[in-house]
Coordinates of all heavy atoms in Angstrom, one line a residue:
A1319 N 17.0 93.5 137.2 CA 18.3 93.5 137.8 C 19.4 93.8 136.9 O 19.3 93.7 135.7 CB 18.6 92.2 138.5
V1320 N 20.5 94.4 137.4 CA 21.7 94.8 136.6 C 22.8 93.8 136.9 O 23.1 93.5 138.0 CB 22.1 96.2 137.0 CG1 23.3 96.6 136.2 CG2 21.0 97.1 136.8
C1321 N 23.5 93.5 135.9 CA 24.7 92.7 136.1 C 25.8 93.1 135.2 O 25.6 93.8 134.2 CB 24.4 91.2 136.0 SG 23.9 90.7 134.4
G1322 N 27.0 92.6 135.4 CA 28.1 92.9 134.5 C 29.3 92.0 134.6 O 29.4 91.4 135.7
L1323 N 30.1 91.9 133.6 CA 31.3 91.0 133.7 C 32.4 91.9 134.3 O 32.7 92.9 133.8 CB 31.7 90.5 132.3 CG 30.6 89.7 131.6 CD1 31.1 89.3 130.2 CD2 30.3 88.4 132.4
L1324 N 33.0 91.5 135.3 CA 34.0 92.2 136.1 C 35.4 91.8 135.6 O 35.8 90.7 135.8 CB 33.8 92.0 137.6 CG 34.9 92.6 138.5 CD1 34.9 94.1 138.3 CD2 34.7 92.2 139.9
V1325 N 36.2 92.7 135.1 CA 37.6 92.5 134.7 C 38.4 93.7 135.1 O 38.2 94.8 134.6 CB 37.7 92.2 133.2 CG1 39.2 91.9 132.8 CG2 36.8 91.1 132.7
L1326 N 39.3 93.5 136.0 CA 40.1 94.6 136.5 C 41.1 94.9 135.5 O 41.9 94.1 135.1 CB 40.7 94.2 137.9 CG 39.8 94.0 139.0 CD1 40.6 93.7 140.3 CD2 38.9 95.2 139.3
L1327 N 41.2 96.3 135.2 CA 42.3 96.8 134.3 C 42.4 96.0 133.0 O 43.4 95.9 132.4 CB 43.6 96.7 135.0 CG 43.7 97.7 136.2 CD1 45.0 97.4 137.0 CD2 43.6 99.1 135.8
G1328 N 41.3 95.4 132.6 CA 41.3 94.6 131.4 C 40.3 95.1 130.3 O 40.6 96.0 129.6
A1329 N 39.1 94.5 130.3 CA 38.1 94.8 129.4 C 37.0 95.6 130.0 O 37.1 96.0 131.2 CB 37.5 93.5 128.8
L1330 N 35.9 95.8 129.3 CA 34.8 96.6 129.8 C 33.9 95.7 130.7 O 33.8 94.5 130.5 CB 33.9 97.1 128.7 CG 34.5 98.1 127.8 CD1 33.5 98.5 126.7 CD2 34.9 99.4 128.5
V1331 N 33.3 96.3 131.7 CA 32.2 95.6 132.4 C 31.0 95.7 131.6 O 30.5 96.9 131.4 CB 32.0 96.2 133.8 CG1 30.8 95.6 134.5 CG2 33.3 95.9 134.7
T1332 N 30.4 94.7 131.2 CA 29.2 94.7 130.3 C 28.0 94.7 131.2 O 27.7 93.8 131.9 CB 29.2 93.5 129.4 OG1 30.4 93.5 128.6 CG2 28.0 93.6 128.4
G1333 N 27.2 95.8 131.1 CA 25.9 95.8 131.9 C 24.9 95.0 131.2 O 24.8 94.8 130.0
C1334 N 24.0 94.4 132.1 CA 22.9 93.6 131.5 C 21.7 93.7 132.4 O 21.9 94.1 133.6 CB 23.3 92.1 131.3 SG 23.6 91.3 132.8
Q1335 N 20.5 93.4 131.9 CA 19.3 93.6 132.7 C 18.4 92.4 132.4 O 18.2 92.0 131.3 CB 18.7 94.9 132.2 CG 17.6 95.4 133.2 CD 18.2 95.9 134.4 OE1 19.3 96.5 134.3 NE2 17.6 95.7 135.5
S1336 N 17.8 92.0 133.5 CA 16.8 90.9 133.3 C 15.4 91.6 133.2 O 15.2 92.7 133.6 CB 16.8 90.0 134.5 OG 16.2 90.6 135.7
P1337 N 14.4 90.9 132.7 CA 13.0 91.5 132.6 C 12.4 91.8 133.9 O 11.4 92.4 133.9 CB 12.2 90.3 131.9 CG 13.3 89.5 131.2 CD 14.5 89.6 132.1
S1338 N 13.0 91.4 135.0 CA 12.4 91.7 136.3 C 12.8 93.0 136.9 O 12.5 93.4 138.0 CB 12.8 90.6 137.3 OG 14.2 90.5 137.5
G1339 N 13.6 93.9 136.2 CA 13.9 95.2 136.8 C 15.1 95.8 136.3 O 15.8 95.3 135.5
G1340 N 15.5 97.0 136.8 CA 16.6 97.9 136.6 C 17.6 97.7 135.5 O 17.8 96.7 134.9
L1341 N 18.3 98.8 135.2 CA 19.2 98.7 134.1 C 20.5 99.4 134.4 O 20.5 100.5 134.8 CB 18.5 99.4 132.9 CG 19.3 99.7 131.8 CD1 18.5 99.4 130.5 CD2 19.7 101.1 131.7
A1342 N 21.6 98.7 134.4 CA 22.9 99.3 134.6 C 23.7 99.2 133.3 O 24.2 98.1 133.0 CB 23.6 98.7 135.8
G1343 N 23.8 100.2 132.6 CA 24.7 100.2 131.5 C 24.0 100.2 130.2 O 24.6 100.7 129.2
D1344 N 22.9 99.6 130.0 CA 22.3 99.5 128.7 C 20.9 100.0 128.6 O 20.2 99.9 127.6 CB 22.3 98.1 128.1 CG 21.6 97.1 129.0 OD1 21.1 97.5 130.0 OD2 21.7 95.9 128.8
G1345 N 20.3 100.5 129.7 CA 19.0 101.2 129.6 C 17.8 100.3 129.9 O 16.7 100.7 129.8
R1346 N 18.0 99.1 130.3 CA 16.9 98.2 130.7 C 16.4 98.4 132.1 O 17.2 98.8 132.9 CB 17.2 96.8 130.4 CG 17.0 96.4 128.9 CD 17.5 95.0 128.6 NE 18.9 95.0 128.4 CZ 19.6 93.9 128.3 NH1 19.0 92.8 128.3 NH2 20.9 94.0 128.1
P1347 N 15.2 98.0 132.5 CA 14.6 98.4 133.7 C 15.1 97.8 135.0 O 15.3 96.6 135.0 CB 13.1 98.1 133.5 CG 13.1 97.2 132.4 CD 14.4 97.3 131.6
R1348 N 15.1 98.5 136.1 CA 15.3 97.9 137.4 C 14.8 98.9 138.4 O 14.9 100.1 138.3 CB 16.8 97.6 137.6 CG 17.0 97.2 139.1 CD 18.5 96.9 139.3 NE 19.2 98.1 139.1 CZ 20.5 98.2 139.4 NH1 21.1 97.2 139.9 NH2 21.2 99.3 139.2
E1349 N 14.3 98.4 139.5 CA 13.9 99.2 140.7 C 14.5 98.6 141.9 O 14.0 97.6 142.5 CB 12.4 99.2 140.8 CG 11.9 100.2 141.9 CD 10.4 100.2 141.9 OE1 9.8 99.5 141.2 OE2 9.9 101.0 142.8
P1350 N 15.6 99.2 142.4 CA 16.3 98.6 143.6 C 15.6 99.0 144.9 O 15.0 100.0 145.0 CB 17.7 99.2 143.5 CG 17.5 100.4 142.8 CD 16.3 100.3 141.9
A1351 N 15.8 98.2 146.0 CA 15.4 98.6 147.3 C 16.6 98.7 148.2 O 17.4 97.7 148.2 CB 14.4 97.5 147.8
S1352 N 16.7 99.8 148.9 CA 17.8 100.0 149.8 C 19.2 99.8 149.1 O 20.1 99.2 149.6 CB 17.8 99.0 151.0 OG 16.6 99.2 151.7
G1353 N 19.2 100.3 147.9 CA 20.5 100.3 147.1 C 20.7 99.0 146.4 O 21.7 98.8 145.8
T1354 N 19.8 98.0 146.4 CA 20.0 96.7 145.7 C 18.8 96.4 144.9 O 17.8 97.1 144.9 CB 20.2 95.6 146.7 OG1 19.1 95.5 147.6 CG2 21.5 95.8 147.5
T1355 N 18.8 95.3 144.1 CA 17.8 95.0 143.2 C 16.6 94.4 143.9 O 16.7 93.5 144.7 CB 18.3 94.0 142.1 OG1 19.4 94.7 141.5 CG2 17.3 93.7 141.1
T1356 N 15.4 94.8 143.5 CA 14.2 94.1 144.1 C 13.8 92.9 143.3 O 14.3 92.7 142.2 CB 13.0 95.1 144.1 OG1 12.7 95.4 142.7 CG2 13.3 96.4 144.8
A1357 N 12.9 92.1 143.8 CA 12.3 91.0 143.1 C 11.3 91.6 142.0 O 10.8 92.7 142.2 CB 11.6 90.1 144.0
A1358 N 11.1 90.8 141.0 CA 10.1 91.2 140.0 C 8.7 91.4 140.6 O 8.3 90.5 141.3 CB 10.1 90.2 138.8
V1359 N 8.0 92.4 140.2 CA 6.6 92.6 140.7 C 5.6 92.6 139.6 O 4.4 92.4 139.8 CB 6.5 93.9 141.5 CG1 7.3 93.8 142.7 CG2 6.9 95.1 140.7
S1360 N 6.1 92.7 138.3 CA 5.2 92.7 137.2 C 3.9 93.5 137.3 O 2.8 93.0 137.3 CB 4.8 91.2 136.9 OG 5.9 90.5 136.5
P1361 N 4.0 94.8 137.6 CA 2.8 95.6 137.7 C 2.1 95.8 136.4 O 2.7 95.7 135.3 CB 3.4 97.0 138.2 CG 4.8 97.0 137.7 CD 5.2 95.6 137.7
V1362 N 0.8 96.0 136.5 CA 0.0 96.2 135.3 C -0.4 97.6 135.1 O -0.9 98.3 136.1 CB -1.3 95.3 135.4 CG1 -2.2 95.5 134.2 CG2 -1.0 93.9 135.5
A1363 N -0.1 98.2 134.0 CA -0.5 99.6 133.7 C -1.8 99.7 133.1 O -2.1 99.2 132.0 CB 0.6 100.2 132.8
T1364 N -2.7 100.4 133.7 CA -4.1 100.6 133.2 C -4.5 102.0 133.4 O -3.9 102.7 134.2 CB -5.1 99.7 133.9 OG1 -5.1 100.0 135.3 CG2 -4.7 98.2 133.7
R1365 N -5.6 102.4 132.7 CA -6.1 103.8 132.9 C -7.5 103.9 132.4 O -7.9 103.2 131.5 CB -5.2 104.8 132.2 CG -5.4 104.9 130.7 CD -4.7 106.2 130.2 NE -4.7 106.2 128.8 CZ -5.7 106.8 128.0 NH1 -6.7 107.4 128.6 NH2 -5.6 106.8 126.7
P1366 N -8.3 104.8 133.0 CA -9.6 105.1 132.5 C -9.4 105.9 131.2 O -8.4 106.5 131.0 CB -10.2 106.1 133.6 CG -9.3 106.0 134.7 CD -8.0 105.5 134.3
A1367 N -10.4 105.9 130.3 CA -10.3 106.6 129.1 C -10.4 108.1 129.3 O -10.9 108.6 130.3 CB -11.5 106.2 128.2
G1368 N -9.7 108.9 128.4 CA -9.9 110.3 128.5 C -8.8 111.1 129.1 O -8.8 112.3 129.3
Y1369 N -7.6 110.4 129.5 CA -6.5 111.1 130.1 C -5.5 111.6 129.1 O -4.5 112.1 129.5 CB -5.9 110.2 131.2 CG -6.6 110.2 132.5 CD1 -6.2 109.3 133.5 CD2 -7.7 111.0 132.7 CE1 -6.9 109.3 134.7 CE2 -8.4 110.9 133.9 CZ -8.0 110.1 134.9 OH -8.7 110.0 136.1
G1370 N -5.7 111.3 127.8 CA -4.7 111.8 126.8 C -4.8 111.0 125.6 O -5.4 109.9 125.5
A1371 N -4.2 111.5 124.5 CA -4.2 110.8 123.2 C -3.4 109.6 123.2 O -3.6 108.6 122.5 CB -3.7 111.8 122.1
V1372 N -2.3 109.5 124.1 CA -1.5 108.3 124.2 C -1.4 107.8 125.6 O -1.3 108.6 126.6 CB 0.0 108.7 123.7 CG1 0.9 107.5 123.9 CG2 0.0 109.1 122.3
F1373 N -1.5 106.5 125.8 CA -1.5 105.9 127.1 C -0.1 106.2 127.8 O 0.9 105.9 127.2 CB -1.8 104.4 127.0 CG -1.6 103.7 128.3 CD1 -2.3 104.1 129.4 CD2 -0.7 102.6 128.4 CE1 -2.2 103.4 130.6 CE2 -0.6 101.9 129.6 CZ -1.3 102.3 130.7
L1374 N -0.1 106.8 129.0 CA 1.1 107.1 129.7 C 2.1 107.9 128.8 O 3.3 107.5 128.6 CB 1.8 105.9 130.3 CG 1.2 105.3 131.5 CD1 1.9 104.1 132.0 CD2 1.2 106.4 132.7
A1375 N 1.7 109.0 128.2 CA 2.5 109.9 127.4 C 3.4 110.7 128.3 O 3.3 110.7 129.5 CB 1.6 110.8 126.5
V1376 N 4.4 111.3 127.7 CA 5.4 112.2 128.4 C 4.6 113.2 129.2 O 3.7 113.9 128.7 CB 6.4 112.9 127.4 CG1 7.2 113.9 128.2 CG2 7.2 111.8 126.7
D1377 N 5.0 113.4 130.5 CA 4.5 114.3 131.4 C 3.1 113.9 132.1 O 2.6 114.6 132.9 CB 4.3 115.7 130.9 CG 5.6 116.5 130.7 OD1 6.5 116.1 131.5 OD2 5.7 117.3 129.8
E1378 N 2.6 112.7 131.7 CA 1.5 112.1 132.4 C 2.0 111.3 133.6 O 3.2 111.1 133.7 CB 0.7 111.2 131.5 CG -0.1 112.1 130.4 CD -0.9 111.2 129.5 OE1 -0.7 110.0 129.5 OE2 -1.7 111.8 128.8
C1379 N 1.1 111.0 134.5 CA 1.5 110.4 135.8 C 0.8 109.1 136.0 O -0.3 108.8 135.5 CB 1.2 111.4 136.9 SG 2.3 112.9 136.9
S1380 N 1.5 108.3 136.9 CA 0.9 107.0 137.3 C 0.8 107.0 138.8 O 1.5 107.7 139.5 CB 1.7 105.9 136.8 OG 2.9 105.7 137.5
S1381 N -0.1 106.1 139.3 CA -0.1 105.8 140.7 C 0.9 104.7 141.0 O 1.5 104.1 140.1 CB -1.5 105.3 141.1 OG -1.8 104.1 140.5
F1382 N 1.1 104.3 142.2 CA 2.0 103.2 142.6 C 1.1 102.1 143.0 O 0.0 102.3 143.5 CB 2.9 103.6 143.8 CG 4.2 104.2 143.3 CD1 5.0 104.9 144.2 CD2 4.7 104.0 142.0 CE1 6.2 105.5 143.8 CE2 5.9 104.5 141.6 CZ 6.6 105.3 142.5
G1383 N 1.6 100.9 142.9 CA 0.8 99.7 143.4 C 1.7 98.5 143.3 O 2.7 98.5 142.6
T1384 N 1.4 97.5 144.1 CA 2.2 96.3 144.1 C 1.9 95.4 142.9 O 2.8 94.6 142.5 CB 2.0 95.5 145.4 OG1 0.7 95.2 145.5 CG2 2.5 96.3 146.6
T1385 N 0.7 95.5 142.4 CA 0.4 94.7 141.2 C -0.1 95.5 140.0 O -0.3 94.9 139.0 CB -0.8 93.7 141.6 OG1 -1.9 94.4 142.1 CG2 -0.3 92.8 142.7

Side-chain angles (χ1 to χ4, degrees):
V1320 179
C1321 63
L1323 300 176
L1324 173 63
V1325 181
L1326 295 182
L1327 295 174
L1330 294 179
V1331 173
T1332 303
C1334 66
Q1335 196 70 36
S1336 73
S1338 61
L1341 167 142
D1344 58 3
R1346 277 171 282 173
R1348 173 182 60 172
E1349 186 178 1
S1352 301
T1354 58
T1355 303
T1356 63
V1359 294
S1360 298
V1362 177
T1364 61
R1365 77 170 171 90
Y1369 281 175
V1372 177
F1373 175 57
L1374 283 178
V1376 173
D1377 286 334
E1378 291 180 345
C1379 293
S1380 75
S1381 65
F1382 272 159
T1384 57
T1385 60

